[in-house]
Amino acid sequence: MHKNSSIEINQEALLNNISFLRKTLGKKVILSSVVKGNAYGHGIPEFARSAVHCGINHFSVFDVDEAKEVKREVANQAEIMIMGYLAEEDLEWIITNEISFYVSDKIRLEKALKWAKKLKKKALLHIEIETGMNRTGFTKSEISAVAKKLIQEKSFLTFKGLCTHFAGAESVANHYRILKQIVRYEEGYQFFISQGLKPEIRHTACSAAAMMFPKTRMDMVRIGIMQYGLWSSPEVYVNYLNSNKQKKTDPLQRIISWKSEVMNIKKVNPGEFIGYGNSFMASEKMKIAIIPVGYSHGYSRSLSNHGRVLINGKRCMVIGTVNMNMITVNVSDLENIKKGDEVVLIGSQDDISISIASFSDFSNQLNYELLTRISRTIPRKII
Ligand SMILES: *Cc1c(COP(=O)(O)O)cnc(C)c1O
């Protein structure tokens, strides 16, 4: 664990976000908390613990390692669903622990059946259907074989869910594509019904779909980015504001803060280059501060000469390139700055704050990527 920076998870903000989501998406809809990518960089152990305190009882992960991390933290207080990769050797643990998982190809279906028989315990399957993203999922021509298997082997296979994933519901540009996916999903569902097979739950929506296309909410929504207090894109936020004329403020609250401290302060003369190479030259007398955080901790190189941090209640620019373990910021305007002063990389200081959007180069699309890159080795605590 480092001591050079720390992360705080604000449980009250999480509760606020979850309450907003429940109110908006409907109380009957299961809210599955998506914690892949180390809970979008927040840290699975701390985040999952907090989420359970806020009433979450369903988690979605990408793979078995994440499932184990959640399980270790929440034991039997929540269901866990694996949406992504698994290897055959994982199936014993998965089935024994009643973890449900996506099945999107014949090979996985066969292996699941084999292990369920071996363990004499039902495998809990979410059948994923291809509706137009063209990534994973059974195509139309494959689903009758799947249905047959589910019927033949119903003492070993539980039809837990029928699911799909939308290809970019956060952008209006994809509106038509998403509508087509919804229709194909519905056709797939009707096919299973016609075979006398009814999944326990139907689920298709991520945050953006749940907000933009209410009929995709069905029995369960898989919510990632919004529970962390961020919108999937500015379009989703604007769409929300337009549909709620009386609401003018953001109902979501960022729950992560990332802080460090001033490690060193220097004065630089005009004409001097700062840091590696020549990406920044001082054009006047400057005072600079060195912060012990760099790209190895997840402070992206794309923030070179772009990022901002807060020191003594003021916004300061990152100058020069982001190094592996350090950044340099311009503190010429701060008179009383000293070594050890708090530096906010994400979060608030006095009345101002650095949102993840500004941390991430002013582009919301990068929120997901920059958050998940924040290093696991930084200590995290719940406040
Ligand atoms: C990541 C993911 C989600 C959650 O997406 P957000 O945009 O963060 O809400 C939902 N479903 C699947 C299959 C995912 O991979």
Side-chain angles (χ1 to χ4, degrees):
M1 284 287 170
H2 298 272
K3 292 205 184 69
N4 37 359
S5 74
S6 64
I7 285 170
E8 289 169 359
I9 302 298
N10 183 332
Q11 190 165 306
E12 225 168 280
L14 176 59
L15 186 59
N16 167 78
N17 299 341
I18 288 172
S19 310
F20 168 76
L21 288 162
R22 284 208 195 283
K23 204 165 64 209
T24 308
L25 305 177
K27 293 223 163 26
K28 287 205 200 90
V29 178
I30 301 167
L31 186 60
S32 183
S33 166
V34 179
V35 294
K36 65 188 183 199
N38 198 27
Y40 292 43
H42 290 63
I44 284 183
E46 294 77 11
F47 183 83
R49 203 182 319 144
S50 262
V52 166
H53 277 293
C54 297
I56 290 291
N57 57 13
H58 198 289
F59 289 97
S60 295
V61 299
F62 181 75
D63 61 22
V64 71
D65 294 316
E66 293 176 342
K68 284 181 177 170
E69 242 184 311
V70 173
K71 182 88 183 161
R72 206 175 300 136
E73 207 52 49
V74 310
N76 296 324
Q77 294 171 279
E79 281 184 43
I80 302 172
M81 174 174 85
I82 297 176
M83 306 185 291
Y85 183 77
L86 54 90
E88 182 171 359
E89 66 256 32
D90 301 328
L91 280 166
E92 181 171 5
W93 183 83
I94 290 171
I95 295 173
T96 308
N97 285 281
E98 298 174 15
I99 308 291
S100 65
F101 54 99
Y102 275 36
V103 172
S104 49
D105 62 76
K106 277 182 264 181
I107 297 169
R108 191 180 290 183
L109 185 59
E110 287 302 336
K111 301 226 159 111
L113 178 60
K114 175 179 136 191
W115 277 94
K117 285 182 170 167
K118 213 164 171 165
L119 298 164
K120 299 193 172 55
K121 195 165 165 99
K122 285 177 129 184
L124 310 175
L125 315 182
H126 295 265
I127 302 296
E128 186 187 9
I129 49 178
E130 175 58 70
T131 56
M133 180 150 182
N134 293 310
R135 194 170 66 175
T136 48
F138 288 104
T139 59
K140 205 169 170 177
S141 63
E142 293 170 318
I143 60 173
S144 62
V146 175
K148 224 175 256 162
K149 208 37 114 207
L150 290 177
I151 293 166
Q152 269 167 15
E153 304 289 353
K154 66 170 183 288
S155 37
F156 294 102
L157 304 175
T158 298
F159 192 7
K160 191 81 187 162
L162 183 70
C163 54
T164 196
H165 189 50
F166 297 118
E170 70 283 353
S171 170
V172 176
N174 303 325
H175 191 85
Y176 180 67
R177 187 171 173 198
I178 305 301
L179 290 180
K180 237 161 79 179
Q181 285 192 271
I182 296 171
V183 170
R184 288 196 189 134
Y185 176 85
E186 201 52 43
E187 287 167 3
Y189 176 67
Q190 288 308 333
F191 173 77
F192 282 104
I193 292 294
S194 76
Q195 303 300 299
L197 286 164
K198 194 168 182 325
E200 284 177 25
I201 55 171
R202 300 192 296 152
H203 56 101
T204 63
C206 58
S207 299
M211 295 304 291
M212 305 279 268
F213 303 90
K215 69 170 158 194
T216 65
R217 292 172 193 165
M218 303 183 192
D219 302 312
M220 180 168 89
V221 289
R222 307 182 302 256
I223 301 293
I225 198 82
M226 284 182 78
Q227 60 176 339
Y228 303 106
L230 303 163
W231 294 84
S232 320
S233 70
E235 284 167 73
V236 177
Y237 181 41
V238 168
N239 181 68
Y240 166 78
L241 289 179
N242 285 342
S243 62
N244 284 269
K245 293 281 186 236
Q246 72 278 31
K247 298 223 176 69
K248 285 278 171 275
T249 52
D250 190 344
L252 298 176
Q253 294 171 11
R254 179 181 28 74
I255 69 171
I256 193 173
S257 325
W258 187 11
K259 292 176 184 164
S260 183
E261 61 174 53
V262 173
M263 178 170 128
N264 199 16
I265 301 166
K266 269 185 188 298
K267 297 224 165 95
V268 180
N269 284 320
E272 296 273 337
F273 290 106
I274 294 173
Y276 288 117
N278 54 9
S279 87
F280 188 91
M281 185 180 77
S283 56
E284 57 200 342
K285 249 183 169 353
M286 284 179 83
K287 185 158 61 168
I288 59 176
I290 317 301
I291 319 300
V293 171
Y295 59 77
S296 73
H297 311 109
Y299 199 90
S300 172
R301 266 184 64 106
S302 68
L303 298 168
S304 297
N305 282 318
H306 282 297
R308 285 152 171 73
V309 303
L310 305 177
I311 306 175
N312 295 357
K314 292 242 165 60
R315 237 179 272 277
C316 307
M317 285 290 296
V318 171
I319 54 180
T321 52
V322 172
N323 296 173
M324 187 184 290
N325 298 298
M326 283 185 266
I327 52 174
T328 303
V329 298
N330 182 358
V331 293
S332 303
D333 296 336
L334 303 186
E335 297 202 343
N336 301 319
I337 182 170
K338 55 185 188 310
K339 272 190 203 184
D341 281 356
E342 181 190 78
V343 177
V344 171
L345 307 164
I346 304 174
S348 307
Q349 210 176 47
D350 300 344
D351 307 334
I352 49 174
S353 70
I354 299 274
S355 73
I356 296 163
S358 59
F359 162 77
S360 64
D361 216 356
F362 313 102
S363 151
N364 267 315
Q365 275 309 306
L366 278 169
N367 277 344
Y368 291 82
E369 183 178 347
L370 291 192
L371 275 176
T372 53
R373 282 196 197 169
I374 299 174
S375 169
R376 282 171 183 275
T377 61
I378 299 168
R380 286 158 167 85
K381 67 167 191 272
I382 305 171
I383 56 161

